Amino acid sequence: MNTIIIDGKHTSERVRRNLRSVIEQLKQAGHTPGLAVVLVGEDPASQVYVNSKVKACEELGIYSQKWVMPTETSQEELVQLIDRLNHDDRIHGILVQSPPPPHIDEAAVVLCIDPRKDVDGFHPVNVAKLVMEDSSGFVPCTPLGCMELLKEYGIETKGKHAVIIGRSMIVGKPMAHLLMSKQANATVTVAHSRTTNLADLCRTADILVAAVGRPGLVTAQYVKPGAVVLDVGINRVEDPTRPRGYRIVGDVNYDEVAPLCSAITPVPGGVGPMTIAMLMANTVKACRASCGVD
Ligand code: NAD
């Protein structure tokens, strides 16, 4: 099969290019979008994520604040900071990097973020808006990025059977809502860790989304010939041939599955680059809404 390799890097650059001109217009009208990124603790992977979000802001001309708080920061101190950011007019988006240290109640923290600044789309108000198909809400960035990839490559979703493996609040559930929405009109099945006959079920999918966190779980046996496969997984596997001693792979056994598909996202370079681009898009959306452009 002539498989299309869905290029997330290229698509994310196109998204950023479009944002650049919107940001320019906003600035000319006296509004600069602003994002605050909050990190509690010293998790090295989280530090990398936070830095790349701040860098993306700088590249686009989005004002950013980076708050790095010590591991022993209390829930109350974190909530106080969020309250300050909620009232800071320069800030349109607030993101608390996940996962926080174990003594922090992440769900309670999310509740403190003003839903109008919740650019991660985790606040219950935004979850409800997604379910109700109210486009004024914020949608989590990774599933939003997956939808953007489908659009970019002209992949039809209407009437198709989409199977999503994974039911997290960050990927699986919002992805299901986006695909079943009246915009996309797919018929959606959500599979998870207790699903039986997973391979048989996945083989009925026209569009298969893997968001599990298990390297290579999806093998050729899971894929109907001609299906579209979106691999959300980001997994480290040991690789002594690499300088860092590991490499990043997805949830899909790419070499085995790619020849069967009509289109597939590679890892890295597929869904991954879309997440930050959509975070920037959500920040610009929050700014536009706050200054009454939308
Ligand atoms: P999660 O751990 O919150 O959820 C995983 C889901 O997979 C659960 O719903 C669970 O029921 C299901 N699952 C686990 N084992 C299974 C099995 N054997 N069979 C079927 N289902 C199974 O993870 P998450 O936050 O949704 O992330 C999933 C993957 O996506 C991870 O690899 C993560 O790193 C990656 N991710 C990537 C991005 C990105 O920017 N590309 C963003 C978020 C998450």
Side-chain angles (χ1 to χ4, degrees), residues 7-10 12-13 16 266 268-278:
D7 187 340
K9 210 160 170 273
H10 180 264
S12 72
E13 277 157 14
R16 286 175 203 232
V271 176
M274 295 304 293
T275 299
I276 292 186
M278 301 325 285

Side-chain angles (χ1 to χ4, degrees), residues 142 165-168 192-193 198 211-214 232-235 272 275:
T142 301
I165 323 176
R167 57 179 162 186
S168 72
H192 47 77
S193 52
L198 184 63
V212 189
R214 300 264 185 284
V232 181
I234 299 181
N235 309 294
T275 299

Side-chain angles (χ1 to χ4, degrees), residues 47-60:
Q47 285 174 356
V48 172
Y49 289 138
V50 161
N51 288 337
S52 51
K53 287 165 188 172
V54 170
K55 189 165 160 248
C57 286
E58 284 166 359
E59 282 168 7
L60 286 179

Side-chain angles (χ1 to χ4, degrees), residues 64 70 141 240 288:
S64 66
C141 302
R288 284 163 65 93

